[in-house]
């Protein structure tokens, strides 16, 4: 299995730039289980208000994880999350990317991953 770092330039290129990737992965940082470093149904439940979906049901959470879980480990790693978000809402992501680029005054250091 390829490392995420190896795939990232390819994904960034395909999606049209680094800005979208940065935004997607900022979302990942917010939603993930800090101990495990992946998004789990439990971490999603805890952070559902961040999604604007405080009343998210368990079955909705499970189906979201299942939808994006490409390797079948029951959790979303960073790449799976990025792919899922883009698949779910390419138009939305494009709009928010444009907004982010206009409004953002702080540069996100995407390489500072530790
Ligand atoms: Ca997975």
């Amino acid at each position: 299995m390829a490392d995420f770092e190896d795939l990232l330039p390819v994904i960034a290129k395909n999606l049209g730039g680094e800005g979208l990737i940065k935004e997607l992965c900022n979302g990942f940082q917010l939603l993930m289980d800090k101990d495990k470093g992946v998004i789990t149904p439990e971490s999603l439940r805890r952070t559902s208000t961040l999604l604007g979906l405080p009343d998210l049901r368990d079955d909705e959470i499970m189906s979201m994880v299942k939808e994006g879980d490409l390797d079948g480990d029951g959790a979303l790693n960073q790449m799976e999350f990025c792919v899922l978000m883009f698949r779910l809402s390419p138009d939305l992501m494009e709009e928010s990317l444009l907004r982010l680029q206009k409004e953002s005054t702080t540069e996100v250091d995407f390489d500072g991953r530790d």
Side-chain angles (χ1 to χ4, degrees), residues 11-113:
I11 297 172
K13 184 164 170 281
N14 289 342
L15 297 188
E18 282 186 15
L20 178 59
I21 297 294
K22 283 179 184 173
E23 185 179 1
L24 286 169
C25 295
N26 284 344
F28 178 84
Q29 300 292 333
L30 289 174
L31 301 175
M32 75 172 182
D33 185 312
K34 299 278 190 297
D35 295 329
K36 295 174 181 167
V38 293
I39 293 175
T40 65
E42 289 75 25
S43 74
L44 266 184
R45 195 172 296 124
R46 280 199 303 271
T47 56
S48 59
T49 50
L50 295 174
L51 295 169
L53 299 167
D55 299 323
L56 210 57
R57 297 199 313 267
D58 281 1
D59 61 330
E60 292 171 331
I61 289 173
M62 292 306 293
S63 64
M64 180 176 166
V65 172
K66 194 176 171 187
E67 178 74 22
D69 186 14
L70 302 176
D71 62 8
D73 67 353
L76 300 181
N77 62 31
Q78 197 165 32
M79 188 191 73
E80 289 171 338
F81 177 74
C82 289
V83 171
L84 176 64
M85 286 299 104
F86 191 73
R87 272 175 53 207
L88 289 179
S89 54
D91 294 340
L92 193 70
M93 293 313 298
E94 196 170 332
E95 282 176 23
S96 55
L97 169 63
L98 292 172
R99 212 163 51 232
L100 188 78
Q101 286 177 333
K102 281 178 189 164
E103 292 178 1
S104 179
T105 53
T106 54
E107 184 65 25
V108 179
D109 179 13
F110 185 71
D111 293 325
R113 279 161 35 88

Side-chain angles (χ1 to χ4, degrees), residues 3-17 21:
D3 288 334
F4 180 67
E5 286 88 341
D6 296 326
L7 295 171
L8 187 61
V10 178
I11 297 172
K13 184 164 170 281
N14 289 342
L15 297 188
I21 297 294

